[in-house]
Amino acid sequence: MHSVDLSEAEAFFRQHAAENPNAPDPEERFSEALVEFGRRGTFGHTTEELEFGARVAWRNANRCIGRLYWRSLIVRDRRSVRSAEGVAAECVEHLRVATNGGRIRPVLTLFAADQPGRPAPRLRNSQLIRYAGYQGMESVIGDPGQAEFTRWVESMGWSGKGTDFDVLPLAIETPEDGVRLFDIPGDAVLEVPLSHPEFPWFAELDLKWHAVPAISSMPLRIGGITYPTAPFNGWYMGTEIGSRNLVDADRYDRMTQVGRLLGLDVDNDRSLWKDRVLVEINRAVLHSFDEAGAKIADHHHESEMFMRFVEKEERAGREAHAEWSWVVPPLASTTSPVYHRYYDESAVLPGFLPGTGWTP
Amino acid sequence: MHSVDLSEAEAFFRQHAAENPNAPDPEERFSEALVEFGRRGTFGHTTEELEFGARVAWRNANRCIGRLYWRSLIVRDRRSVRSAEGVAAECVEHLRVATNGGRIRPVLTLFAADQPGRPAPRLRNSQLIRYAGYQGMESVIGDPGQAEFTRWVESMGWSGKGTDFDVLPLAIETPEDGVRLFDIPGDAVLEVPLSHPEFPWFAELDLKWHAVPAISSMPLRIGGITYPTAPFNGWYMGTEIGSRNLVDADRYDRMTQVGRLLGLDVDNDRSLWKDRVLVEINRAVLHSFDEAGAKIADHHHESEMFMRFVEKEERAGREAHAEWSWVVPPLASTTSPVYHRYYDESAVLPGFLPGTGWTP
Ligand code: HEM
Ligand code: HEM
């Protein structure tokens, strides 16, 4: 549980006023919040404050390479939605607003904060869209990263089709109902079948990926208050799918299969077959999203946009903090301008807090 | 100037004794050093202490992925060599011992520490072997990273052949003679012409690289004393040449040339042509060194060896510190086990100190 912090609140009101000519006077605004806090042990932000706070939280996301676009974040204030059905419906609506027929928009949906004696609803999924992982005797069908979560929702009665790409249900916990599961309607999930610009056999691997990455496990801290349920999405950067989800040994692990089909010497790491496979899978990802009209960034372009963000922040009299190991793309790292400098790695608020990790 | 630190000396004598059954009693050894310090304002290490200290400095090199082999370091104690000619001759001998006909051995040559009123000799080169860079009107012939140093040695009368790969002279500074230059005999420099296992045109690019990377700009701090001149070498990891020296925009910058010869779409970063070029240049580097019988590590193997080092250190009751951004290979980073964890990044002594950077 994250407690209310009044000095953080005061600093936030000042920042809000400093960056927004139309914001209320921070001293007055803080007095108002103090009165409210005295009365009921917490206080409420205005929708305008939350919109600003959520955007700045993105601007402060040290692990995010995509921050140039922080002002464009669409913030959906849904603090009044408290029922499990309501939260589920708003998550689905989030996906529709974000997907936008492939022209993906950055969106954040903000649900209520905990209040004294009244816990707020929580999403138990790590992302709104993830594929189930079914643990078999020797191997996993689907996403091994979701095997534990899958077993858990199965224990509550969910059952998937058993394919490699079954979208998991939303698991929403409320004080009234405990955990309830909700399937996401198929038409709210844009998916992209993967093919390669040169190798026809690639399509026969029957790989696909969903177009919207929407993290739902990170609490959002704004102006002294923690919002535990605040799913947000951008668009993908290709390497997330092509260098991690499809190839990590504890994820879909398709490296060797693709290496063999490429005719590479997969028994000899020194042949750099892995390095070659990564290039081809990443090409397939970018190519397929482009063909499908689903927005996706490549790491070269996004690196340039990030450097522009860093410069813009400097011109605004701020310093862009960043975690080097997260913002440097994992493919052709040295060709990215992001590689060739260091950053202040310290965390700043408003910001997204580390998720607690999944436990049943 | 780095001053003598007696508490560091004491800690080092203890560590030496703790890790070496035959080392002298640390209390006695420290008393002895104290007496010597009282008499002449500094004290001397034994050759055996320096051998241990230099090896531990390597073990503590947080940016080095190659540390599994730290015990094998050959330490050449040359503190008595004080003339410029003597230092030059020992550097050449270092290269011969290290090169070993291609079966490269890790070697460190240790020259004197500064003493009160008596500065020690210094090497002004960043590495024992580097190629000159000649700044022309619009471009550089050779290594742009060495253009400033090249101009400096030219101002002292050196002149190179004007090729892309002219080995720079050693620039040695002594209190007696100031800076003097010494050419390195050609037969002390093993070089590898680069070719590609599949593409014959690659050899026609006339690229090559030297086989021994020998850093000569990092002072070595052991047991409270700084040794300003302590060149050391390992063997190369391929990416140092294939992902940096030959391709960085401020080094040989051959990315576009190779991309065109590969027939790739070099005007479109999203085609991932740069990612592909890196794979092929790195393949050429490993292939060529193998053909030439010159030892070189690939990043996959060296990553495994590094993880073994980390485990071994843990078993020895120590924790291996490391700088993530340096030890994670820049090619196919996510396939390296080194990528998937964090490290304590703090510096430990004995250790190599950051060089001062080159100034004329
Ligand atoms: C608009 C396009 C966006 C792109 C291309 C982008 C790109 C990325 C990438 C590549 C990562 C690293 C992910 C990983 O390696 O697991 C990341 C992390 C992150 N991004 Fe973004 N992002 C975008 C939008 C957003 C938005 C809208 C927000 C919040 C409002 C955001 C907040 C974050 C945070 C908090 C992390 C760290 C996640 C963690 O710790 O697991 N990003 N982003
Ligand atoms: C035996 C084979 C070795 C391999 C494969 C190896 C590999 C590497 C690599 C890849 C780097 C990063 C270089 C860069 O990105 O610029 C590095 C850095 C470093 N290594 Fe090693 N190394 C070896 C031997 C040694 C030895 C013998 C020493 C010292 C006795 C040493 C000390 C260091 C230090 C101090 C750095 C940091 C250099 C800097 O800050 O610029 N290494 N090593």
Side-chain angles (χ1 to χ4, degrees):
Chain A
M1 191 75 49
H2 306 275
S3 55
V4 174
D5 183 317
L6 292 169
S7 69
E8 235 180 275
E10 190 180 12
F12 173 70
F13 293 137
R14 277 186 216 281
Q15 181 179 19
H16 185 213
E19 296 192 32
N20 297 277
N22 299 326
D25 175 83
E27 312 296 325
E28 281 174 29
R29 179 65 185 93
F30 183 50
S31 310
E32 198 183 285
L34 276 181
V35 171
E36 193 180 344
F37 182 79
R39 195 157 38 81
R40 48 181 212 104
T42 187
F43 67 91
H45 285 117
T46 65
T47 295
E48 208 280 323
E49 285 164 355
L50 291 177
E51 186 167 273
F52 173 70
R55 288 176 181 162
V56 174
W58 183 9
R59 186 173 88 196
N60 288 337
N62 285 353
R63 297 176 161 185
C64 181
I65 194 175
R67 289 181 274 163
L68 179 63
Y69 323 102
W70 65 273
R71 284 180 193 280
S72 71
L73 182 68
I74 298 173
V75 179
R76 303 171 67 240
D77 179 1
R78 295 298 184 273
R79 284 174 293 172
S80 60
V81 177
R82 296 241 163 209
S83 68
E85 289 87 353
V87 171
E90 288 299 343
C91 289
V92 171
E93 184 59 19
H94 177 130
L95 289 176
R96 295 195 200 278
V97 174
T99 305
N100 189 29
R103 296 178 305 288
I104 295 165
R105 295 182 288 211
V107 177
L108 181 144
T109 301
L110 191 109
F111 294 99
D114 291 337
Q115 294 184 1
R118 192 182 185 202
R122 274 170 173 65
L123 261 163
R124 302 292 297 272
N125 308 61
S126 60
Q127 298 202 8
L128 296 183
I129 306 173
R130 287 268 97 160
Y131 296 121
Y134 307 98
Q135 180 72 56
M137 290 304 245
E138 305 210 318
S139 62
V140 176
I141 293 175
D143 189 345
Q146 296 297 321
E148 241 189 307
F149 183 83
T150 302
R151 204 160 38 225
W152 181 64
V153 295
E154 284 176 340
S155 77
M156 289 181 293
W158 183 79
S159 90
K161 294 210 185 84
T163 79
D164 270 331
F165 299 100
D166 296 344
V167 175
L168 284 160
L170 295 168
I172 293 164
E173 183 164 12
T174 58
E176 297 78 24
D177 294 337
V179 177
R180 289 186 52 195
L181 305 179
F182 298 88
D183 278 321
I184 303 177
D187 66 350
V189 181
L190 178 61
E191 293 181 296
V192 177
L194 300 185
S195 62
H196 190 282
E198 279 178 56
F199 308 118
W201 49 260
F202 199 99
E204 287 155 37
L205 296 173
D206 274 333
L207 297 172
K208 62 177 173 178
W209 206 257
H210 54 91
V212 175
I215 295 180
S216 50
S217 54
M218 297 183 82
L220 172 55
R221 180 87 179 170
I222 297 178
I225 290 180
T226 298
Y227 296 90
T229 308
F232 62 84
N233 74 280
W235 48 83
Y236 265 114
M237 183 160 87
T239 51
E240 296 179 74
I241 304 169
S243 293
R244 307 299 308 272
N245 302 347
L246 294 177
V247 303
D248 274 2
D250 55 1
R251 301 292 302 284
Y252 280 80
D253 196 20
R254 296 306 175 96
M255 192 82 98
T256 313
Q257 185 186 19
V258 175
R260 290 227 170 82
L261 288 162
L262 278 165
L264 301 176
D265 182 4
V266 301
D267 297 317
N268 173 11
D269 283 355
R270 199 171 170 89
S271 72
L272 304 193
W273 70 272
K274 289 185 182 171
D275 310 71
R276 178 71 197 279
V277 166
L278 281 179
V279 176
E280 300 309 339
I281 297 186
N282 276 284
R283 283 179 71 196
V285 168
L286 294 172
H287 166 80
S288 308
F289 272 64
D290 286 348
E291 291 276 294
K295 188 169 172 106
I296 192 165
D298 68 78
H299 51 289
H300 298 291
H301 181 73
E302 212 61 41
S303 290
E304 275 178 42
M305 295 304 103
F306 180 72
M307 294 321 288
R308 208 178 282 176
F309 166 70
V310 170
E311 285 158 25
K312 256 187 142 165
E313 285 298 291
E314 262 160 30
R315 277 203 301 279
R318 294 184 292 262
E319 194 198 346
H321 295 198
E323 287 189 41
W324 195 97
S325 65
W326 282 72
V327 291
V328 170
L331 199 64
S333 313
T334 57
T335 66
S336 163
V338 184
Y339 184 94
H340 298 276
R341 50 161 293 176
Y342 289 112
Y343 308 90
D344 185 330
E345 308 230 331
S346 60
V348 182
L349 295 175
F352 294 95
L353 306 180
T356 43
W358 183 82
T359 43
Chain B
M1 192 77 46
H2 306 275
S3 54
V4 174
D5 184 316
L6 291 170
S7 68
E8 235 180 274
E10 190 178 13
F12 173 70
F13 293 137
R14 278 187 216 280
Q15 181 179 17
H16 185 213
E19 298 193 32
N20 297 277
N22 299 327
D25 175 82
E27 312 296 325
E28 280 172 33
R29 178 66 185 94
F30 184 51
S31 310
E32 197 182 285
L34 275 181
V35 171
E36 192 182 343
F37 182 79
R39 197 159 35 83
R40 49 183 211 103
T42 187
F43 68 92
H45 285 116
T46 65
T47 295
E48 208 280 324
E49 283 164 356
L50 291 177
E51 187 167 272
F52 173 69
R55 288 177 179 160
V56 174
W58 182 9
R59 185 174 90 196
N60 287 337
N62 284 352
R63 298 176 161 182
C64 181
I65 193 175
R67 288 181 273 163
L68 179 62
Y69 322 103
W70 67 272
R71 284 179 194 278
S72 71
L73 182 68
I74 298 172
V75 179
R76 303 171 68 240
D77 179 1
R78 294 298 184 272
R79 285 175 291 172
S80 61
V81 177
R82 297 240 163 209
S83 68
E85 289 86 354
V87 171
E90 287 299 342
C91 290
V92 171
E93 184 58 19
H94 177 130
L95 290 175
R96 296 195 199 276
V97 174
T99 305
N100 190 29
R103 296 177 307 286
I104 295 165
R105 296 181 287 211
V107 177
L108 181 144
T109 300
L110 191 108
F111 294 99
D114 291 336
Q115 294 186 359
R118 192 181 184 202
R122 273 168 173 69
L123 260 164
R124 303 292 297 273
N125 308 60
S126 60
Q127 297 202 9
L128 296 183
I129 305 173
R130 287 267 96 160
Y131 296 121
Y134 306 97
Q135 180 72 55
M137 291 306 246
E138 305 208 319
S139 64
V140 175
I141 292 175
D143 190 345
Q146 296 297 321
E148 240 189 309
F149 183 84
T150 302
R151 205 159 37 225
W152 182 64
V153 294
E154 284 176 337
S155 78
M156 288 182 292
W158 183 80
S159 90
K161 294 212 185 82
T163 79
D164 270 332
F165 299 99
D166 296 344
V167 175
L168 284 161
L170 296 168
I172 293 164
E173 185 165 8
T174 57
E176 296 76 27
D177 294 336
V179 177
R180 289 186 52 196
L181 305 180
F182 298 87
D183 278 321
I184 303 177
D187 66 351
V189 181
L190 178 60
E191 296 183 293
V192 176
L194 300 185
S195 62
H196 189 283
E198 278 179 57
F199 309 118
W201 50 259
F202 200 98
E204 288 156 34
L205 296 172
D206 273 334
L207 297 173
K208 63 176 173 178
W209 207 257
H210 54 91
V212 175
I215 295 180
S216 50
S217 56
M218 297 183 81
L220 172 55
R221 180 85 178 173
I222 296 178
I225 290 181
T226 299
Y227 296 90
T229 309
F232 61 85
N233 75 278
W235 48 83
Y236 266 113
M237 183 162 86
T239 52
E240 297 180 74
I241 304 168
S243 293
R244 305 300 307 273
N245 302 346
L246 294 176
V247 303
D248 274 1
D250 55 3
R251 301 293 302 284
Y252 280 81
D253 195 20
R254 295 305 174 97
M255 192 83 99
T256 313
Q257 186 186 19
V258 175
R260 290 227 169 82
L261 288 163
L262 279 165
L264 301 176
D265 183 5
V266 300
D267 297 318
N268 174 12
D269 283 354
R270 199 172 169 87
S271 72
L272 304 192
W273 71 272
K274 288 183 182 171
D275 310 70
R276 177 73 196 279
V277 166
L278 282 178
V279 176
E280 300 308 340
I281 296 186
N282 275 284
R283 283 179 71 197
V285 168
L286 293 173
H287 165 81
S288 309
F289 272 64
D290 286 348
E291 292 275 295
K295 188 168 172 104
I296 192 164
D298 69 77
H299 52 290
H300 299 291
H301 179 74
E302 213 60 42
S303 291
E304 275 176 44
M305 295 305 103
F306 181 73
M307 295 320 289
R308 208 177 284 175
F309 166 69
V310 170
E311 284 156 28
K312 256 188 140 165
E313 286 299 289
E314 263 160 30
R315 277 203 303 280
R318 295 184 291 261
E319 192 198 347
H321 295 198
E323 289 188 41
W324 195 97
S325 65
W326 282 72
V327 290
V328 170
L331 199 65
S333 314
T334 57
T335 66
S336 164
V338 185
Y339 185 95
H340 298 276
R341 52 161 291 178
Y342 289 113
Y343 308 89
D344 185 329
E345 308 227 333
S346 60
V348 182
L349 294 176
F352 294 95
L353 306 180
T356 43
W358 184 82
T359 44

